[in-house]
Amino acid sequence: MNSYLFNKVGLWGYQHYEYLKQNQPTTINVMQMNGELIPYLQDINEQANEMFSQLVKQLAKQEGVTEELKAKDQMAWIGAMGNIQHRAREVIFNDIIYQ
């Protein structure tokens, strides 16, 4: 892993970079020459972080995964939140990262 790039663009930006590197290497080269790659990947990272946060909140609300559940049955809450976060990550990969 290129830690310099990862530190500059975040997890989601780096994931998108890896996708582009395998599927559209010319795009990376052109963006690097134009000085657009890092800002583009930073924007991707920001969009994905916002979407992840919103999706987790929405799904938790829809499925009744509340602080009350957390206080009453912590293991059920952990399992439900893990499931919700996994689904949110899948949406982000399909809608942002692999585009």
Side-chain angles (χ1 to χ4, degrees):
M1 177 185 295
N2 184 334
S3 62
Y4 171 78
L5 183 60
F6 181 83
N7 290 333
K8 292 286 264 179
V9 301
L11 173 65
W12 299 112
Y14 190 79
Q15 292 287 339
H16 187 61
Y17 170 79
E18 287 295 316
Y19 170 78
L20 290 175
K21 188 168 82 173
Q22 290 183 359
N23 297 286
Q24 299 175 15
T26 304
T27 300
I28 289 176
N29 292 335
V30 170
M31 291 180 88
Q32 280 179 322
M33 287 190 296
N34 294 334
E36 300 169 345
L37 183 62
I38 299 296
Y40 169 75
L41 294 173
Q42 289 170 333
D43 185 52
I44 291 290
N45 190 64
E46 187 177 318
Q47 288 176 39
N49 277 328
E50 288 175 16
M51 180 183 257
F52 180 79
S53 179
Q54 289 176 344
L55 282 171
V56 168
K57 287 176 188 173
Q58 288 173 350
L59 291 169
K61 185 176 180 180
Q62 287 174 0
E63 297 174 20
V65 181
T66 63
E67 290 297 315
E68 183 180 314
L69 175 62
K70 183 179 180 180
K72 189 168 69 173
D73 188 352
Q74 205 169 43
M75 292 306 289
W77 182 85
I78 290 170
M81 287 303 290
N83 183 283
I84 287 168
Q85 290 173 350
H86 175 76
R87 291 181 354 236
R89 281 190 290 273
E90 288 297 315
V91 169
I92 290 167
F93 274 109
N94 289 323
D95 290 358
I96 296 176
I97 304 305
Y98 298 148
Q99 295 298 316

